[in-house]
Amino acid sequence: MILEGYVRDKHGQPIANAALEIKGEDFLTIYSAESDEHGYYRFDIPKGTFPFLIAVKDYAVHNLEYWCQNIPLQNDMRLDISFDKLEIYGLHVFTVKGAGKKLMVYFRPMSLLKYQQGKSDIAPQNISVKVTVDGEECAVIAENPVKEYADGHAMSAYLLQVDADTHWKKFDIEITDEDGCYGAATIFNTDN
């Protein structure tokens, strides 16, 4: 099967020599590729569902990672990728019984600038969120900040409610902070 697409920055410009890795449940790399001078990448891999794909160039120096989860490679697929100085980590999309036709979204955003400043909570401030479900932009109904605790310190996360059909296949999220930094992530629904 072919998994291919383009790697671009927040302005839509191609990113050459981006490292792409498909990882298993244990986060170990199974397959790797690199984007060419046009930002094009290509994997020729067996059919299957792959837990993670990450893409980055100059990690923790100029950029943070793009993450994609649960890639259902049953046919050839195109997956375009973009990244910048924000990362969307731990993305989960789920439904709550009795909440109607709405999706709940949980993620932990990270800021390269805050990381470089040595902050313990590296979440960006005042983010704007764009959500696309199966190719259509959906309204964010509620945005709730959440505190997580790990290794003795607090980390900021978000819980969103999105006006989208609960029978979705592909969920894309993009965030931008007050400094104009950007991050994106994708998750596929393996339950449908």
Side-chain angles (χ1 to χ4, degrees):
M1 298 284 103
I2 303 300
L3 174 62
E4 64 183 345
Y6 288 87
V7 182
R8 296 188 174 100
D9 66 15
K10 66 181 179 180
H11 303 293
Q13 297 302 308
I15 298 175
N17 307 114
L20 296 100
E21 296 180 353
I22 294 177
K23 296 183 175 284
E25 288 291 345
D26 55 6
F27 292 102
L28 294 177
T29 301
I30 303 169
Y31 303 101
S32 60
E34 186 173 282
S35 62
D36 68 13
E37 67 273 9
H38 305 290
Y40 175 76
Y41 75 91
R42 183 176 194 260
F43 289 95
D44 187 351
I45 56 179
K47 181 187 290 191
T49 299
F50 297 93
F52 303 104
L53 178 146
I54 62 165
V56 72
K57 181 178 180 180
D58 302 323
Y59 179 72
V61 176
H62 297 297
N63 300 293
L64 290 180
E65 295 166 323
Y66 162 89
W67 283 81
C68 181
Q69 298 176 67
N70 305 328
I71 302 162
L73 194 59
Q74 303 304 312
N75 298 295
D76 292 347
M77 178 188 293
R78 179 171 171 165
L79 179 66
D80 291 329
I81 292 168
S82 58
F83 57 78
D84 185 49
K85 293 176 175 39
L86 300 182
E87 183 174 319
I88 298 170
Y89 188 79
L91 177 62
H92 290 283
V93 178
F94 55 98
T95 58
V96 175
K97 292 188 187 308
K101 292 193 170 213
K102 308 288 187 263
L103 294 177
M104 301 301 291
V105 182
Y106 186 85
F107 66 96
R108 186 183 328 130
M110 296 187 276
S111 162
L112 176 60
L113 301 177
K114 287 197 168 191
Y115 170 77
Q116 290 173 335
Q117 294 166 357
K119 306 280 185 185
S120 61
D121 185 351
I122 60 171
Q125 299 297 308
N126 302 319
I127 62 170
S128 62
V129 179
K130 177 182 174 185
V131 169
T132 306
V133 178
D134 295 330
E136 294 193 27
E137 190 170 343
C138 297
V140 175
I141 300 167
E143 183 177 307
N144 301 289
V146 176
K147 286 292 183 194
E148 284 185 32
Y149 291 89
D151 298 327
H153 68 275
M155 298 177 290
S156 295
Y158 285 88
L159 179 64
L160 309 177
Q161 187 177 30
V162 176
D163 189 12
D165 189 345
T166 56
H167 298 287
W168 58 280
K169 292 181 181 164
K170 182 179 181 225
F171 185 98
D172 294 292
I173 182 169
E174 300 172 275
I175 59 172
T176 306
D177 72 5
E178 59 192 359
D179 297 318
C181 298
Y182 166 88
T186 301
I187 189 169
F188 289 91
N189 187 356
T190 56
D191 294 334
N192 286 335

